[in-house]
Amino acid sequence: QVQLVESGGGLVQAGGSLRITCAASGSIFSINAMGWYRQAPGKQRELVAAITTGGSTNYADSVKGRFTISRDNAVSTVYLQMNSLKPEDTDVYYCYVNRAGISYWGKGTLVTVSS
């Protein structure tokens, strides 16, 4: 089992920045992909950004150039630096990791961007 704890969400004005963090614990060996999804009420969960163990990244078109994902494999932590935030970025952000073909999810952290 893998446990994920997110932190860093909150309220920020449009144009501002926020960094959210996700720390993995438990059976963290052989974790490969880590990343973030987001979901608004009544909508499907969508991929925001993902990063492999080797550092390859993938971003949703809506966040390219504004968000940066990174990870520290030594402490099994993934980060999402969010700049130039827009009100439409308001969502619950969920951390996930993939280990041995199984996905594990955090409980989510709320990011609210005011206009």
Side-chain angles (χ1 to χ4, degrees), residues 39-44 90-92:
Q39 186 172 25
K43 293 189 177 181
Q44 271 194 318
T90 295
D91 266 322
V92 178

Side-chain angles (χ1 to χ4, degrees), residues 7-71:
S7 61
L11 174 65
V12 63
Q13 287 189 330
S17 298
L18 207 60
R19 187 175 85 155
I20 55 179
T21 299
C22 174
S25 62
S27 299
I28 58 175
F29 56 93
S30 299
I31 284 178
N32 36 56
M34 303 181 78
W36 296 91
Y37 277 70
R38 64 186 181 186
Q39 186 172 25
K43 293 189 177 181
Q44 271 194 318
R45 194 170 290 188
E46 63 172 1
L47 175 68
V48 177
I51 185 168
T52 66
T53 303
S56 296
T57 58
N58 183 36
Y59 294 93
D61 288 341
S62 59
V63 306
K64 283 180 182 176
R66 300 189 297 122
F67 291 11
T68 302
I69 189 169
S70 60
R71 65 189 281 175

Side-chain angles (χ1 to χ4, degrees), residues 89-101:
D89 294 318
T90 295
D91 266 322
V92 178
Y93 286 70
Y94 296 90
C95 173
Y96 86 97
V97 302
N98 184 281
R99 174 183 172 272

